[in-house]
Amino acid sequence: MMLTIIQTELIKMFRKWRTYIGFIVILVLAGIVQTALYYEGKSAAEHAISNFSDNFVMLGNLFNGYFIGKILLQALYIHIPFLIVLVGGDLLAGEATAGTYRMLLTRPVTRLKLVTGKFLSGFIYTALFMGFVFLISIGVSCLLFGTGELIMVKEKIYIFAADDVLWRFILAFLFATLSMITVITISLFFSSLVANAIGPIISTMAVIIVSLIISNLPFDFVQEIRPYFFTNYLNDWTLFFVDKVEYKEVFKAVLVLLGHIIGLYAITSYIFVKKDILS
């Protein structure tokens, strides 16, 4: 029964044009960046590492697909939450807008199963979308520019060997997928409260922006509660790009994100089960 619900929800989802907006945006933006870098990127890369070349002997293919993939991930990651909530905000509110709630609930499907199917289909969409981002940003970049060493600048300068990079990107994208599932979960929560998909989109982005602002305020109280803000971990995919990955920190971030997902799913399910459906 649950597989049928998920299949139905995915079919409905991919029949809507807004589902493809994110894929089109990523394809266009990545294509523009990759084309520009293909023709002019070598000089830009040389300029970027010029400060290092004064002190280090730089050998190997540093301007490669991994380098381009890192640039794309850093640039697109800021905008990915908005592309995700375009779909998440419509999953429940869209039914209210179309007036199809009552028709759905006349079927032998409980409200809990229906809302669970909505959540799982949203998670699947997020995973497919992030897989597409990985394919375009890393896969296509490696085909165009080849592979090689990767330079990462955090508190230190890290240079990873060519055979020590791909697994880091895979784990980073898996973590990023979990963080984006948290984002779509928030949009589903707001989507259960209203009858218009615009509200959940604006509300989710507002929550992200406000959380980021609050978590960066220089007050002791804010610093104490900051570890519980999901936005504190949205950029933690970078944890995989250090010499020795701190899996304890990764595990902590995963627990916080899962806590948000499970908690919001439970609240949304309760609201939907108790909701008075009039349309």
Side-chain angles (χ1 to χ4, degrees):
M1 178 67 75
M2 183 55 67
L3 288 176
T4 303
I5 295 173
I6 294 171
Q7 183 180 20
T8 302
E9 291 299 326
L10 288 173
I11 291 172
K12 287 163 57 179
M13 184 189 301
F14 282 96
R15 281 179 176 173
K16 296 181 179 180
W17 68 270
R18 73 167 59 200
T19 304
Y20 299 95
I21 292 177
F23 293 94
I24 295 170
V25 169
I26 295 298
L27 191 61
V28 171
L29 288 178
I32 292 172
V33 172
Q34 288 165 337
T35 301
L37 290 174
Y38 185 82
Y39 290 104
E40 300 181 17
K42 199 119 186 174
S43 59
E46 289 172 356
H47 176 73
I49 64 174
S50 60
N51 293 331
F52 307 136
S53 59
D54 293 337
N55 301 305
F56 303 96
V57 177
M58 311 299 285
L59 300 173
N61 179 25
L62 297 177
F63 184 73
N64 56 65
Y66 294 140
F67 179 80
I68 307 303
K70 182 195 73 172
I71 293 174
L72 284 169
L73 184 59
Q74 290 174 328
L76 296 174
Y77 193 76
I78 302 170
H79 310 291
I80 286 176
F82 176 73
L83 300 175
I84 292 290
V85 301
L86 282 176
V87 173
D90 188 59
L91 281 173
L92 287 167
E95 301 288 358
T97 302
T100 53
Y101 264 144
R102 293 178 70 179
M103 182 180 69
L104 282 174
L105 296 175
T106 56
R107 299 176 181 179
V109 177
T110 65
R111 291 192 180 195
L112 181 60
K113 285 184 177 181
L114 180 61
V115 74
T116 301
K118 294 278 189 183
F119 268 87
L120 292 176
S121 61
F123 296 168
I124 291 171
Y125 165 80
T126 304
L128 290 173
F129 181 76
M130 292 303 295
F132 181 77
V133 174
F134 179 85
L135 180 65
I136 295 298
S137 61
I138 305 299
V140 174
S141 294
C142 287
L143 286 175
L144 290 174
F145 302 96
T147 60
E149 296 77 13
L150 174 68
I151 295 179
M152 286 289 292
V153 181
K154 295 180 72 177
E155 293 84 4
K156 302 177 182 177
I157 299 172
Y158 298 95
I159 302 178
F160 300 102
D163 59 357
D164 190 36
V165 180
L166 183 58
W167 71 271
R168 296 178 185 273
F169 271 114
I170 291 173
L171 291 180
F173 266 89
L174 288 174
F175 182 90
T177 300
L178 181 64
S179 65
M180 290 302 102
I181 285 175
T182 307
V183 170
I184 202 171
T185 300
I186 296 171
S187 68
L188 275 159
F189 164 70
F190 285 116
S191 186
S192 69
L193 300 175
V194 298
N196 189 299
I198 301 299
I201 295 171
I202 296 173
S203 300
T204 304
M205 296 310 298
V207 167
I208 293 173
I209 293 169
V210 171
S211 297
L212 285 171
I213 293 172
I214 292 176
S215 63
N216 285 288
L217 292 175
F219 302 123
D220 291 340
F221 172 72
V222 172
Q223 297 307 312
E224 288 180 6
I225 63 174
R226 184 182 178 186
Y228 303 101
F229 281 63
F230 75 97
T231 48
N232 193 44
Y233 305 98
L234 291 182
N235 203 41
D236 274 6
W237 58 270
T238 58
L239 289 172
F240 296 99
F241 292 94
V242 294
D243 276 339
K244 185 178 180 182
V245 178
E246 294 290 340
Y247 287 103
K248 184 178 179 181
E249 292 298 316
V250 174
F251 184 67
K252 175 186 174 183
V254 168
L255 282 181
V256 173
L257 294 175
L258 284 175
H260 280 80
I261 293 169
I262 295 170
L264 286 167
Y265 163 73
I267 295 170
T268 305
S269 297
Y270 178 81
I271 291 171
F272 188 74
V273 168
K274 297 294 184 180
K275 190 173 185 176
D276 188 12
I277 305 294
L278 300 175
S279 61

Coordinates of all heavy atoms in Angstrom, one line a residue, residues 38-89:
Y38 N 36.0 26.5 -18.9 CA 36.7 25.7 -19.9 C 37.5 26.6 -20.8 O 38.6 26.2 -21.2 CB 35.6 25.0 -20.8 CG 36.2 24.0 -21.8 CD1 36.6 22.7 -21.4 CD2 36.4 24.4 -23.1 CE1 37.1 21.8 -22.3 CE2 36.9 23.5 -24.0 CZ 37.3 22.2 -23.6 OH 37.8 21.4 -24.6
Y39 N 37.1 27.8 -21.1 CA 37.8 28.7 -22.0 C 38.7 29.7 -21.2 O 39.8 30.1 -21.7 CB 36.8 29.5 -22.8 CG 36.1 28.7 -23.8 CD1 34.8 28.2 -23.7 CD2 36.8 28.2 -25.0 CE1 34.2 27.5 -24.6 CE2 36.2 27.4 -25.9 CZ 34.9 27.1 -25.8 OH 34.2 26.3 -26.7
E40 N 38.3 30.1 -20.0 CA 39.1 31.1 -19.3 C 39.6 30.7 -17.9 O 40.2 31.4 -17.2 CB 38.3 32.4 -19.2 CG 37.9 33.0 -20.5 CD 37.1 34.3 -20.4 OE1 37.2 34.9 -19.3 OE2 36.5 34.7 -21.3
G41 N 39.2 29.5 -17.5 CA 39.4 29.1 -16.1 C 40.8 28.8 -15.7 O 41.2 29.0 -14.5
K42 N 41.6 28.5 -16.7 CA 43.0 28.1 -16.3 C 43.7 29.3 -15.7 O 44.4 29.2 -14.7 CB 43.8 27.7 -17.5 CG 45.0 26.9 -17.2 CD 45.0 25.5 -17.8 CE 46.1 24.6 -17.3 NZ 46.0 23.2 -17.7
S43 N 43.6 30.5 -16.3 CA 44.2 31.7 -15.8 C 43.6 32.1 -14.4 O 44.3 32.5 -13.5 CB 44.0 32.9 -16.8 OG 42.6 33.1 -17.0
A44 N 42.3 31.8 -14.3 CA 41.7 32.1 -13.0 C 42.2 31.2 -11.9 O 42.4 31.6 -10.7 CB 40.1 32.0 -13.1
A45 N 42.4 30.0 -12.2 CA 42.9 29.0 -11.3 C 44.4 29.3 -10.9 O 44.8 29.3 -9.7 CB 42.9 27.6 -11.8
E46 N 45.2 29.7 -11.9 CA 46.5 30.1 -11.6 C 46.6 31.4 -10.7 O 47.4 31.4 -9.8 CB 47.3 30.4 -12.9 CG 47.5 29.2 -13.8 CD 48.1 29.5 -15.1 OE1 48.1 30.7 -15.5 OE2 48.4 28.5 -15.9
H47 N 45.7 32.3 -10.9 CA 45.6 33.5 -10.0 C 45.2 33.1 -8.6 O 45.7 33.6 -7.6 CB 44.6 34.5 -10.6 CG 44.4 35.7 -9.7 ND1 45.4 36.6 -9.6 CD2 43.4 36.0 -8.9 CE1 44.9 37.6 -8.7 NE2 43.7 37.2 -8.3
A48 N 44.3 32.1 -8.5 CA 43.8 31.6 -7.2 C 44.9 31.0 -6.4 O 44.9 31.1 -5.1 CB 42.6 30.7 -7.4
I49 N 45.8 30.3 -7.0 CA 46.9 29.6 -6.3 C 48.2 30.3 -6.3 O 49.2 29.8 -5.9 CB 47.0 28.1 -6.8 CG1 47.5 28.2 -8.3 CG2 45.8 27.3 -6.7 CD1 47.9 26.8 -8.9
S50 N 48.2 31.6 -6.9 CA 49.4 32.3 -7.0 C 50.1 32.6 -5.6 O 51.3 32.6 -5.5 CB 49.2 33.6 -7.7 OG 48.2 34.4 -7.0
N51 N 49.2 32.8 -4.6 CA 49.8 33.0 -3.3 C 50.5 31.8 -2.7 O 51.4 32.0 -1.9 CB 48.6 33.5 -2.3 CG 48.0 34.8 -2.7 OD1 48.7 35.7 -3.2 ND2 46.8 35.0 -2.4
F52 N 50.0 30.6 -3.1 CA 50.6 29.4 -2.6 C 51.9 29.1 -3.4 O 52.9 28.6 -2.9 CB 49.6 28.2 -2.7 CG 48.3 28.5 -2.1 CD1 47.1 28.1 -2.7 CD2 48.2 29.1 -0.8 CE1 45.9 28.3 -2.1 CE2 47.0 29.3 -0.2 CZ 45.8 28.9 -0.9
S53 N 51.9 29.4 -4.7 CA 53.0 29.0 -5.5 C 54.3 29.8 -5.2 O 55.4 29.3 -5.5 CB 52.7 29.3 -7.0 OG 52.3 30.6 -7.2
D54 N 54.2 30.9 -4.4 CA 55.3 31.6 -4.0 C 56.1 30.8 -2.9 O 57.3 31.0 -2.7 CB 55.0 33.0 -3.4 CG 54.4 33.9 -4.5 OD1 54.7 33.7 -5.7 OD2 53.7 34.8 -4.2
N55 N 55.3 30.0 -2.2 CA 55.9 29.3 -1.1 C 56.0 27.8 -1.3 O 56.7 27.1 -0.6 CB 55.1 29.5 0.2 CG 55.1 31.0 0.6 OD1 56.1 31.7 0.7 ND2 53.8 31.5 0.7
F56 N 55.2 27.3 -2.3 CA 55.2 25.8 -2.5 C 55.5 25.6 -4.0 O 55.2 26.4 -4.9 CB 53.8 25.2 -2.1 CG 53.5 25.4 -0.7 CD1 52.6 26.5 -0.4 CD2 53.9 24.6 0.3 CE1 52.3 26.7 1.0 CE2 53.6 24.8 1.6 CZ 52.7 25.9 1.9
V57 N 56.0 24.4 -4.3 CA 56.2 23.9 -5.6 C 54.9 23.2 -6.0 O 54.6 22.2 -5.5 CB 57.4 23.0 -5.8 CG1 57.5 22.5 -7.2 CG2 58.7 23.7 -5.4
M58 N 54.2 23.8 -7.0 CA 52.9 23.2 -7.4 C 53.0 22.3 -8.6 O 53.4 22.8 -9.7 CB 51.9 24.3 -7.7 CG 51.8 25.5 -6.6 SD 51.3 24.9 -5.0 CE 49.5 24.7 -5.3
L59 N 52.8 21.0 -8.4 CA 52.9 20.0 -9.4 C 51.5 19.3 -9.7 O 50.7 19.3 -8.8 CB 53.9 19.0 -9.1 CG 55.4 19.5 -8.9 CD1 56.3 18.4 -8.4 CD2 55.9 20.1 -10.2
G60 N 51.3 18.7 -10.8 CA 50.1 18.0 -11.1 C 49.0 18.9 -11.7 O 49.2 20.0 -12.0
N61 N 47.9 18.2 -12.0 CA 46.7 18.9 -12.6 C 45.8 19.5 -11.5 O 44.9 18.8 -11.1 CB 46.0 17.9 -13.5 CG 44.8 18.6 -14.2 OD1 44.8 19.8 -14.4 ND2 43.8 17.7 -14.5
L62 N 46.1 20.7 -11.1 CA 45.3 21.3 -10.0 C 44.0 21.9 -10.6 O 43.0 22.0 -9.8 CB 46.1 22.4 -9.3 CG 47.4 21.9 -8.6 CD1 48.1 23.1 -8.0 CD2 47.0 20.9 -7.5
F63 N 44.0 22.3 -11.8 CA 42.7 22.8 -12.4 C 42.0 21.6 -13.1 O 42.2 21.2 -14.2 CB 43.0 23.8 -13.5 CG 41.8 24.4 -14.1 CD1 41.0 25.3 -13.4 CD2 41.5 24.1 -15.4 CE1 39.9 25.9 -13.9 CE2 40.3 24.7 -16.0 CZ 39.5 25.6 -15.2
N64 N 41.2 20.9 -12.3 CA 40.5 19.7 -12.8 C 39.1 19.6 -12.4 O 38.5 20.6 -11.8 CB 41.3 18.5 -12.2 CG 41.4 18.6 -10.6 OD1 40.4 18.5 -9.9 ND2 42.6 18.7 -10.1
G65 N 38.4 18.5 -12.7 CA 37.0 18.4 -12.4 C 36.6 18.5 -10.9 O 35.6 19.0 -10.6
Y66 N 37.5 18.0 -10.0 CA 37.2 18.1 -8.6 C 37.3 19.6 -8.2 O 36.5 20.0 -7.3 CB 38.3 17.3 -7.8 CG 38.2 15.8 -8.0 CD1 39.3 15.1 -8.1 CD2 36.9 15.2 -8.1 CE1 39.2 13.7 -8.3 CE2 36.8 13.8 -8.3 CZ 38.0 13.1 -8.4 OH 37.9 11.7 -8.6
F67 N 38.2 20.4 -8.7 CA 38.4 21.8 -8.4 C 37.1 22.5 -8.8 O 36.6 23.3 -8.1 CB 39.6 22.3 -9.1 CG 39.8 23.8 -8.8 CD1 40.4 24.3 -7.7 CD2 39.5 24.7 -9.8 CE1 40.6 25.6 -7.5 CE2 39.7 26.1 -9.6 CZ 40.3 26.5 -8.5
I68 N 36.6 22.2 -10.1 CA 35.4 22.9 -10.6 C 34.2 22.4 -9.8 O 33.3 23.2 -9.5 CB 35.2 22.5 -12.1 CG1 36.5 22.8 -12.9 CG2 34.0 23.2 -12.7 CD1 37.0 24.2 -12.8
G69 N 34.2 21.1 -9.4 CA 33.0 20.6 -8.7 C 32.9 21.3 -7.3 O 31.8 21.6 -6.8
K70 N 34.1 21.6 -6.7 CA 34.1 22.3 -5.4 C 33.5 23.7 -5.6 O 32.7 24.2 -4.8 CB 35.5 22.3 -4.8 CG 35.6 23.0 -3.5 CD 37.0 23.3 -3.1 CE 37.5 24.5 -4.0 NZ 38.8 25.0 -3.5
I71 N 34.0 24.4 -6.6 CA 33.5 25.7 -6.9 C 32.0 25.8 -7.1 O 31.2 26.6 -6.5 CB 34.2 26.3 -8.1 CG1 35.7 26.6 -7.9 CG2 33.5 27.6 -8.6 CD1 36.5 27.0 -9.1
L72 N 31.5 24.8 -7.9 CA 30.0 24.7 -8.2 C 29.3 24.4 -6.9 O 28.2 25.0 -6.6 CB 29.8 23.7 -9.2 CG 30.1 24.1 -10.7 CD1 30.0 22.9 -11.6 CD2 29.1 25.1 -11.1
L73 N 29.8 23.5 -6.1 CA 29.1 23.1 -4.9 C 29.0 24.3 -3.9 O 27.9 24.6 -3.3 CB 29.8 21.9 -4.2 CG 29.1 21.4 -2.9 CD1 27.7 20.9 -3.2 CD2 29.9 20.2 -2.3
Q74 N 30.1 25.0 -3.8 CA 30.1 26.2 -2.9 C 29.1 27.3 -3.4 O 28.5 28.0 -2.6 CB 31.5 26.7 -2.7 CG 32.4 25.8 -1.9 CD 33.8 26.3 -1.9 OE1 34.3 26.9 -2.9 NE2 34.6 26.1 -0.9
A75 N 29.0 27.4 -4.7 CA 28.2 28.5 -5.3 C 26.7 28.1 -5.3 O 25.9 29.0 -4.9 CB 28.7 28.8 -6.7
L76 N 26.4 26.9 -5.6 CA 25.0 26.5 -5.7 C 24.4 26.1 -4.4 O 23.2 26.2 -4.3 CB 25.0 25.2 -6.7 CG 25.4 25.5 -8.1 CD1 25.4 24.2 -8.9 CD2 24.4 26.5 -8.8
Y77 N 25.2 25.7 -3.4 CA 24.7 25.2 -2.2 C 23.8 26.3 -1.5 O 22.9 26.0 -0.8 CB 25.8 24.8 -1.3 CG 25.3 24.0 -0.1 CD1 25.0 22.7 -0.2 CD2 25.2 24.6 1.2 CE1 24.5 21.9 0.9 CE2 24.8 23.8 2.3 CZ 24.4 22.5 2.1 OH 24.0 21.8 3.2
I78 N 24.1 27.6 -1.7 CA 23.4 28.7 -1.1 C 21.9 28.7 -1.7 O 21.0 29.0 -1.0 CB 24.1 30.0 -1.4 CG1 25.5 30.0 -0.8 CG2 23.3 31.2 -0.8 CD1 26.3 31.2 -1.3
H79 N 21.8 28.3 -2.9 CA 20.5 28.4 -3.6 C 19.7 27.1 -3.6 O 18.5 27.2 -3.9 CB 20.7 28.9 -5.1 CG 21.6 30.1 -5.2 ND1 21.3 31.3 -4.7 CD2 22.9 30.2 -5.6 CE1 22.3 32.2 -4.9 NE2 23.3 31.6 -5.5
I80 N 20.3 26.0 -3.3 CA 19.7 24.7 -3.4 C 18.4 24.7 -2.5 O 17.4 24.1 -2.9 CB 20.6 23.6 -3.1 CG1 21.5 23.4 -4.4 CG2 19.9 22.3 -2.8 CD1 22.6 22.4 -4.2
P81 N 18.5 25.2 -1.2 CA 17.3 25.1 -0.4 C 16.1 25.7 -1.0 O 14.9 25.1 -0.9 CB 17.7 25.9 0.9 CG 19.2 25.7 1.0 CD 19.7 25.7 -0.5
F82 N 16.2 26.8 -1.7 CA 15.0 27.5 -2.4 C 14.5 26.5 -3.4 O 13.3 26.4 -3.6 CB 15.4 28.8 -3.0 CG 14.3 29.5 -3.7 CD1 13.2 30.0 -3.1 CD2 14.4 29.5 -5.1 CE1 12.2 30.6 -3.8 CE2 13.3 30.1 -5.9 CZ 12.3 30.6 -5.2
L83 N 15.4 25.9 -4.2 CA 14.9 25.0 -5.3 C 14.2 23.8 -4.7 O 13.3 23.3 -5.3 CB 16.1 24.6 -6.1 CG 16.9 25.7 -6.8 CD1 18.1 25.2 -7.5 CD2 16.0 26.5 -7.8
I84 N 14.6 23.3 -3.5 CA 14.0 22.2 -2.9 C 12.6 22.5 -2.4 O 11.7 21.8 -2.6 CB 14.9 21.7 -1.7 CG1 16.2 21.1 -2.2 CG2 14.1 20.7 -0.8 CD1 16.1 19.8 -2.9
V85 N 12.5 23.7 -1.7 CA 11.1 24.0 -1.1 C 10.1 24.4 -2.2 O 8.9 24.4 -1.9 CB 11.3 25.2 -0.1 CG1 12.2 24.8 1.0 CG2 11.7 26.5 -0.8
L86 N 10.5 24.7 -3.4 CA 9.5 24.9 -4.5 C 8.6 23.7 -4.7 O 7.4 23.8 -5.0 CB 10.3 25.2 -5.8 CG 10.8 26.6 -6.0 CD1 11.6 26.6 -7.4 CD2 9.8 27.6 -6.0
V87 N 9.2 22.5 -4.4 CA 8.4 21.3 -4.5 C 7.8 20.9 -3.2 O 6.6 20.6 -3.1 CB 9.3 20.1 -5.0 CG1 8.6 18.8 -5.0 CG2 9.8 20.4 -6.5
G88 N 8.6 21.0 -2.1 CA 8.1 20.6 -0.8 C 6.9 21.4 -0.3 O 6.0 20.9 0.3
G89 N 6.9 22.7 -0.7 CA 5.8 23.6 -0.2 C 4.5 23.2 -0.9 O 3.4 23.6 -0.4

